[in-house]
Amino acid sequence: MSLPEIDLVVYPDECDAFGHLNQASFLSLFERARWEMLHRGPGMDVFTRSGAWPALRKTVIDYRAAAFPGDVLRFHQALTHHGRTSFTMRQTARRVRDDTLIASAEFVFVCIDREGRPVAVPPEFGTYMQARRQSLGNVQRLMVHGVNLAVEVRGEGPALLFVHGYPLDRTMWHNQMEALEGYQRIAPDLRGMGQSDAPDLGYSINIYAADLAALLEVLNIEQVVLCALSMGGYIAFEFLRHWRSRVRGLILMDTRAEADTPETRRARDAAAATAREGGAEAIADVMLPKLLAQGTLVDNPGTATRVRQMIANTPVAGIVGALAAMRDRPGSESLLPTLGDLPTLVIVGEADSLTPPDQARAMAQAIPGATLAVIAGAAHLPPLEQPEEVTRRMQEFIDAIN
Ligand code: MLT
């Protein structure tokens, strides 16, 4: 069960002199969709009943296409953060006729009483929204460090923990989650990405790693083989600095040990500005050709579409948070020679320009005993671009250490 989708028609008096749905009316359509959702759920008076008013504190709207009188817009809503007194909703509006994304928006609310003091989000509202967030199939929602994370857990056996890259989500591992039977496969969405909460602030490589450690606690898992791609690799290094004893094998994919250069740091800030101004879609436009090999883009449009959607669905707060976290991460070069007792496999796409094979080779050489696999026909996302080859390499590696 998910939150109801709400259809609303655009009236002529909501449009500007050029016939487009105007911005002020757009805001009120988003608002009407929220009230209608409450009407179908806990009731429109759910807030007044408990003496709380949801005051809108912040709105970020990404307008993607024009809407015209008579268009029917379908509003999809999701709760992306639920705190004690505040909550964040993400809403998208698509034209029903052709499924065009017209706009997506994030609304941050704080519940206040009549004197304007923050008060708790009414439990009835929280319960309704949370109940509709549970229904994610194989996916559990686990609360760690005050944030709800979506975590897919499959199978039984020695545990494999998958950590995705930026700005992606756990579904980038879907081939390996499907194929690696005989292992307990665990793939969380990092905070700010996929179906996990996306708080406005508080992102760092350390908190991502701490979230993973807390997840293992909640799931009662002692040790894992850690399999991490790109930003996931940065998080894996941090995890190893703090929770080394919980890792019994390491698979590093398309990642690097070095910190950002001053130039890359500036590029992170520029990308954050792009995300704030142009939304996640603007990031997708820039990232897609860098993530996938030319061959994947041409021969495998389904994968390209899936990756684009993954990026486009990432909340702006999560993108901006991840960029800051990567920008401020420490270098991990000095860690590599200390990993000699840890079975390690380094995988890289042959055509990866973001973390090129030479860099992966140097990293593998710096880790005593590590092996390197260069995957032909892949760039930055081998698990999606060459799933069978990557799964085969992983299977060989994990079978050998179990
Ligand atoms: C990733 O795939 O996680 C990113 O490309 C990493 C980065 O930007 O450094």
Side-chain angles (χ1 to χ4, degrees), residues 52 67 72 117 124 162 312 388:
V72 178
R117 290 174 304 221
E124 230 188 310
F162 291 91
E388 280 158 24

Side-chain angles (χ1 to χ4, degrees), residues 295-346:
T296 310
L297 289 166
V298 173
D299 302 333
N300 205 340
T303 298
T305 304
R306 178 178 293 159
V307 174
R308 170 176 279 284
Q309 274 166 359
M310 247 188 260
I311 303 174
N313 287 336
T314 307
V316 169
I319 291 178
V320 170
L323 286 164
M326 291 192 285
R327 178 196 62 200
D328 298 338
R329 76 185 189 280
S332 298
E333 297 94 317
S334 62
L335 181 74
L336 305 181
T338 72
L339 300 179
D341 57 339
L342 188 64
T344 301
L345 170 65
V346 176

Side-chain angles (χ1 to χ4, degrees), residues 164-168 172 193 229-234 253-256 258 260 264 268 287 290-291 322-323 326-327 329 352 354-355 380-381:
H164 64 76
Y166 155 91
L168 305 169
M172 63 153 283
M193 301 197 208
L229 181 135
S230 201
M231 184 178 99
Y234 312 156
M253 288 193 202
D254 299 82
T255 191
R256 63 162 71 81
E258 294 80 16
D260 277 2
T264 313
R268 302 278 190 210
M287 290 291 292
K290 297 185 190 167
L291 294 175
L323 286 164
M326 291 192 285
R327 178 196 62 200
R329 76 185 189 280
D352 188 353
L354 293 172
T355 47
H380 197 58
L381 300 181

Side-chain angles (χ1 to χ4, degrees), residues 208-231:
Y208 291 125
D211 284 348
L212 297 180
L215 270 185
L216 296 186
E217 288 293 326
V218 176
L219 294 168
N220 205 12
I221 293 169
E222 195 57 43
Q223 274 203 317
V224 294
V225 172
L226 192 51
C227 173
L229 181 135
S230 201
M231 184 178 99

Side-chain angles (χ1 to χ4, degrees), residues 33 39 63 101 129 150 154 163 190 224 336 390:
H39 173 61
Y63 296 102
L101 179 65
M129 302 295 277
R154 288 218 207 174
V163 191
L190 296 170
V224 294
L336 305 181
V390 169

